[in-house]
Amino acid sequence: MLIGLTVTRLLTSLACALRSRHISRLYGVSLAWVAVIFLDAMDAWWSLRQLKTYQDWSFTSFLMMMMQPLLLVFAAVMILPFSELKPGDDHRDIYIRDGRWALIAIALFHLEGLCEAIFFWDAKLNPWGYLGFSAYILLVVAGFFAGRRTSGIVAAVALATNLFFVFTQVADLWQD
């Protein structure tokens, strides 16, 4: 349900942004992060199928499993405004003021996912896997701190990396 709420929020906010394009140009950086959040939501939704085999449920494991969807909802809420812009509003200023906080949620989403895979699913990463996940998390955090000139590059690299991770499922990073 929370992942569905994430997708709904992203699509609604995106529609509001598109309807506001006559007031302010769309900001490509925030749109790239919307795509990252959407891909993360789709990947998380797909991975829910694994929960039917999980046997060791406790309240702690339940809370841990709920963290990822909650972080996705937070990211979706922060990345774009939920209503059409008013005259004088600017998509880029809104992203810099509020939207970039979604990046902290995205980084925590991936960090929590890594911890969940290791502690609940006993997944083993090879050294390149740890390096890859750590580099991606640091890239997303760098996007939070990036200036106006570099934020577009960071967002584009993060989106490309996320596409690679989602569509390859990083099979080569996990040890057998």
Side-chain angles (χ1 to χ4, degrees):
M1 183 169 57
L2 289 172
I3 296 171
L5 179 61
T6 298
V7 172
T8 301
R9 177 61 191 239
L10 286 174
L11 293 175
T12 303
S13 296
L14 186 59
C16 289
L18 288 172
R19 284 194 304 261
S20 297
R21 70 188 182 282
H22 63 282
I23 293 172
S24 172
R25 282 183 46 208
L26 295 172
Y27 188 48
V29 172
S30 58
L31 296 178
W33 289 114
V34 165
V36 167
I37 297 166
F38 182 78
L39 286 169
D40 284 343
M42 293 297 104
D43 190 47
W45 222 338
W46 177 252
S47 67
L48 287 175
R49 64 182 169 39
Q50 296 173 336
L51 291 180
K52 67 182 175 187
T53 63
Y54 189 70
Q55 300 294 319
D56 300 324
W57 284 105
S58 67
F59 190 67
T60 304
S61 63
F62 169 75
L63 289 177
M64 186 94 171
M65 299 285 184
M66 290 302 298
M67 286 303 297
Q68 279 195 302
L70 290 170
L71 288 165
L72 283 176
V73 171
F74 181 79
V77 167
M78 294 305 294
I79 196 64
L80 288 174
F82 194 58
S83 61
E84 293 183 38
L85 299 185
K86 297 175 182 74
D89 287 344
D90 183 62
H91 282 292
R92 184 175 62 185
D93 292 340
I94 291 169
Y95 169 79
I96 292 167
R97 185 183 65 236
D98 298 322
R100 66 190 180 98
W101 287 96
L103 279 56
I104 300 301
I106 295 168
L108 290 172
F109 168 84
H110 286 280
L111 179 62
E112 196 281 333
L114 180 61
C115 293
E116 190 177 295
I118 293 168
F119 295 118
F120 289 108
W121 304 107
D122 293 324
K124 306 285 189 256
L125 278 173
N126 67 37
W128 290 109
Y130 285 111
L131 181 64
F133 277 103
S134 300
Y136 183 76
I137 291 166
L138 290 174
L139 176 68
V140 174
V141 171
F144 177 82
F145 293 105
R148 289 185 182 201
R149 293 181 186 201
T150 57
S151 61
I153 295 167
V154 171
V157 171
L159 178 57
T161 305
N162 193 289
L163 282 165
F164 173 77
F165 280 172
V166 167
F167 288 106
T168 64
Q169 292 297 308
V170 274
D172 296 336
L173 300 178
W174 298 99
Q175 294 177 351
D176 294 323

